[in-house]
């Protein structure tokens, strides 16, 4: 709130969400300013100094109630939010105000949403796998504890469902907590997530932070930093596993592009803002772990026109430890989760980290699936009979492995009627090794689909 009863200046111009304010003295960049009209409070963030007396600020609310000559007050600091251990089980907006109809969060302390990254000496490098209980992820593109994972895919391939299942896994397997940043989410999606987390029994271990699709671009641009502030607070105070989820990072980039255009900056490649790499790095570099607790990030990334060479996608990719590509072709075959096993990668896929057995099994599974992919056109045109006996065996096992790597989720059980399962990595390795040996050659493909662990009585 204002640090003084005297206004710092007044509104001079309003251009959509961008407001020109005449000030004396000139506030620093990224300072939070505030105005009041008709019982409403309007927040602004300073983005440009136009001259010695005028600044250009981005409104963090709708600007329909603003007018010229309206007094503006200086808060004396960037935007701060109240943080407290009682934030779990709540849904809040960018300012930490409740969206769930509950009472305001108790302000144990206030934290700047634009917190600085940890010092290098205070960080812990990612060095171990974080099991999720999802077979295809743990086997072929394992998560890094304290690392960053991206879920890449177009619309409707299952990014949000996977994000929800990860939230369930962190609570059920690791007794941790989750912070979800809904960047540009539809309010319907937020409503569904709120109730589905309750149905799955994990809502009291999660904090939801929403900047909805109809909000100002300033809110969509900063809501991820608010959520990250809460994740850092929980890491430091609870000393536990914190899963930080952002859905969708591409909408964060879009909000930055919108603000950049409104501020008059010249667009760069494919129309994106010239500050794209810097803005992505400001978020990504704050995601780090300490000796006391780890922040593991999972970020859903919409891929425009399924083009992985898009500049926004490339900028995000450069920060990630694990890349999970969700394929529309897989989804079309009914393979869920629709992870592309050949396009998904992890920096942890080496013998030193995984161990010889995990690495060898993962590579063998990938080789079988790659050979099957190579032969699909031949099979479609000439049939299986034209393949060699060795290739027929590889194709048969690859098809069963492809179906084995499907899995019913806990968070979709109410919709599908199939109980969700979580499979330990050791069990996944045992099953895949048995497939590769031929132990399940006589088992029907249908018996491998949407199952948990394979029943040994089938061999």
């Amino acid at each position: 709130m204002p640090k003084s009863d005297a206004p710092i200046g007044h509104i001079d111009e309003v251009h959509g969400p961008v407001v020109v304010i005449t000030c004396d003295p000139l506030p620093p960049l990224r300072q939070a300013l505030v105005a009041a009209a008709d019982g409403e409070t309007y927040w602004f963030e300073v983005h440009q100094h136009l001259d010695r007396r005028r600044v250009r600020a981005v409104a963090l609310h709708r600007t329909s109630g603003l007018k010229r000559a309206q007094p503006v007050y200086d808060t004396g600091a960037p935007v701060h939010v109240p943080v407290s251990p009682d934030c779990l089980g709540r849904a809040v907006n960018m300012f930490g105000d409740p969206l769930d109809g509950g009472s305001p969060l108790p302000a144990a302390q206030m934290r700047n949403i634009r917190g600085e990254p940890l010092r290098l000496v205070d960080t812990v490098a990612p060095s171990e796998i974080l099991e999720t209980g999802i077979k295809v992820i743990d086997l072929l593109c394992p998560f890094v504890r304290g690392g960053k994972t991206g879920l890449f895919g177009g619309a409707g391939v299952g990014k949000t469902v996977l994000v929800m299942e990860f939230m369930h896994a962190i609570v059920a397997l690791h007794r941790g907590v989750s912070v979800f940043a809904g960047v540009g989410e539809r309010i319907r999606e937020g409503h569904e997530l709120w109730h589905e987390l309750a149905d799955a029994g994990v809502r009291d271990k999660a904090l939801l932070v929403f900047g909805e699709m109809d909000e100002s671009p300033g809110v969509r641009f900063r809501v991820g930093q608010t959520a990250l502030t809460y994740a850092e607070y929980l890491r430091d105070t609870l000393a536990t596993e914190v899963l930080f989820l952002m859905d969708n990072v591409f909408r964060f980039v879009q909000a930055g592009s919108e603000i950049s255009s409104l501020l008059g900056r010249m667009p760069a490649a494919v129309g994106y803002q010239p500050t794209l790499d810097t803005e992505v790095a400001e978020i990504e570099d704050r995601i780090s772990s300490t000796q006391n607790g780890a922040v593991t990030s999972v970020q859903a990334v919409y891929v425009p026109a399924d083009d992985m060479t898009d500049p926004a996608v490339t900028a995000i990719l450069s920060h990630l430890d694990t890349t999970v590509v969700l394929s529309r072709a897989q989804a079309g075959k009914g393979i869920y989760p629709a992870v592309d096993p050949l396009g998904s990668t992890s920096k942890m896929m080496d013998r030193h980290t995984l161990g010889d057995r995990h690495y060898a099994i993962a590579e063998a599974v990938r080789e079988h699936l790659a050979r099957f992919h190579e032969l699909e056109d031949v099979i479609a045109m000439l049939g299986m009979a034209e393949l060699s006996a060795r290739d027929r065996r590889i194709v048969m096992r690859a098809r069963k492995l492809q179906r084995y790597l499907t899995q019913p989720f806990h968070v979709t059980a109410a919709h599908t009627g199939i109980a969700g399962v979580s499979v330990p990595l050791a069990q996944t390795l045992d099953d895949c090794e048995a497939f590769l040996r031929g132990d399940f050659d006589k088992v029907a493909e249908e018996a491998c689909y949407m199952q948990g662990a394979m029943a040994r009585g089938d061999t």
Side-chain angles (χ1 to χ4, degrees):
M1 296 312 292
K3 67 176 182 179
S4 170
D5 292 335
I8 191 178
H10 62 270
I11 293 175
D12 206 28
E13 301 174 21
V14 179
H15 301 280
V18 173
V19 178
V20 176
I21 302 171
T22 299
C23 302
D24 186 22
L26 210 62
L29 294 177
R30 297 173 177 171
Q31 189 91 324
L33 308 179
V34 67
D38 301 325
E40 292 287 333
T41 302
Y42 298 86
W43 289 76
F44 312 97
E45 185 179 47
V46 178
H47 276 257
Q48 283 181 341
H49 289 173
L50 298 178
D51 52 40
R52 292 179 181 273
R53 294 200 59 201
R54 294 189 307 152
V55 300
R56 186 174 279 150
V58 172
L60 302 179
H61 296 275
R62 296 180 180 87
T63 55
S64 55
L66 298 178
K67 57 191 176 190
R68 285 182 174 176
Q70 189 168 336
V72 175
Y73 300 84
D74 186 5
T75 64
V79 176
H80 282 60
V81 293
V83 292
S84 119
D86 297 329
C87 64
L88 292 174
R90 302 297 303 273
V92 299
N93 64 11
M94 177 196 154
F95 302 99
D97 299 328
L99 295 174
D100 53 12
S103 58
L105 292 181
Q109 67 181 88
M110 301 293 288
R111 279 205 178 190
N112 182 359
I113 67 168
R114 299 186 52 80
E116 294 296 324
L118 289 172
R119 296 184 307 161
L120 188 61
V121 295
D122 296 329
T123 60
V124 175
S127 60
E128 60 182 284
I129 291 174
L130 183 73
E131 283 195 38
T132 64
I134 301 173
K135 293 179 287 188
V136 65
I137 299 286
D138 290 342
L139 176 69
L140 299 177
C141 43
F143 279 16
V144 184
R145 182 178 185 269
K148 308 177 186 78
T149 297
L151 303 180
F152 292 83
V157 293
K159 297 187 297 298
T160 302
V161 172
L162 256 181
V163 163
M164 290 165 54
E165 188 68 11
F166 294 144
M167 295 175 76
H168 183 277
I170 282 292
V171 175
L173 301 181
H174 302 282
R175 301 297 183 264
V177 297
S178 301
V179 178
F180 177 87
V183 182
E185 287 284 283
R186 302 169 186 87
I187 192 61
R188 169 185 58 80
E189 293 173 336
H191 183 268
E192 289 174 356
L193 178 62
W194 175 253
H195 288 286
E196 285 169 357
L197 291 179
D199 293 341
V202 297
R203 192 169 71 188
D204 61 340
K205 293 293 184 180
L207 168 66
L208 311 183
V209 186
F210 288 108
E212 287 118 4
M213 189 175 282
D214 64 338
E215 296 274 10
S216 156
V219 170
R220 289 181 272 122
F221 189 57
R222 293 297 185 217
V223 69
Q225 292 180 329
T226 295
L228 189 49
T229 301
Y230 281 107
E232 291 170 338
Y233 171 77
L234 293 170
R235 175 199 66 197
D236 297 339
T237 57
L238 299 183
T240 186
E241 198 78 47
V242 179
L243 182 67
F244 173 67
L245 307 111
M246 186 182 291
D247 187 6
N248 189 300
V249 183
F250 184 76
R251 295 198 191 111
F252 159 75
V253 172
Q254 281 184 314
S257 178
E258 192 174 339
I259 289 173
S260 181
S261 299
L262 290 165
L263 294 176
R265 296 188 187 123
M266 185 71 70
V270 198
Y272 287 112
Q273 61 270 42
T275 52
L276 172 63
D277 289 332
T278 302
E279 291 169 1
V280 171
E282 280 184 351
I283 286 275
E284 301 289 355
D285 285 351
R286 284 179 61 188
I287 302 170
S288 51
S289 303
T290 67
Q291 294 286 356
N292 292 328
V295 175
T296 303
S297 169
V298 178
Q299 306 163 26
V301 185
Y302 169 72
V303 180
D306 294 335
D307 178 15
M308 292 293 289
T309 63
D310 185 86
V313 175
T314 305
I316 297 164
L317 265 172
S318 63
H319 293 274
L320 301 177
D321 300 299
T322 300
T323 303
V324 179
V325 178
L326 300 178
S327 163
R328 201 173 300 281
Q330 292 283 89
K333 296 174 185 175
I335 305 297
Y336 290 103
V339 175
D340 180 355
L342 305 179
S344 303
T345 60
S346 174
K347 292 180 180 177
M348 303 297 273
M349 289 296 294
D350 63 72
R351 293 183 184 275
H352 299 292
T353 306
L354 300 182
D356 289 339
R357 181 169 181 255
H358 184 169
Y359 182 82
I361 293 172
E363 287 300 297
V365 169
R366 209 185 295 269
E367 286 170 9
H368 275 63
L369 295 173
R371 184 60 178 160
F372 175 41
H373 181 68
E374 290 172 4
L375 294 171
E376 277 185 312
D377 289 341
V378 174
I379 295 169
M381 289 186 293
L382 303 177
M384 288 279 287
E386 297 301 314
L387 301 181
S388 66
R390 178 176 181 273
D391 280 344
R392 281 199 300 272
R393 187 167 60 251
I394 289 174
V395 168
M396 176 188 67
R397 292 175 182 172
R399 286 175 60 90
K400 291 178 181 177
L401 280 167
Q402 186 183 58
R403 283 153 179 76
Y404 170 73
L405 293 177
T406 62
Q407 188 168 338
F409 285 165
H410 295 87
V411 295
T412 59
H415 303 287
T416 62
I418 305 174
V421 293
S422 179
V423 182
L425 174 59
Q427 183 65 59
T428 301
L429 294 177
D430 288 344
D431 286 346
C432 289
E433 194 173 42
F435 276 109
L436 296 169
R437 279 197 310 263
D439 293 357
F440 296 117
D441 283 356
K442 295 182 180 179
V443 175
E445 291 179 5
E446 294 76 16
C448 306
Y449 181 68
M450 282 294 168
Q451 302 294 323
M454 292 296 291
R456 283 322 197 248
D458 292 341
T459 55

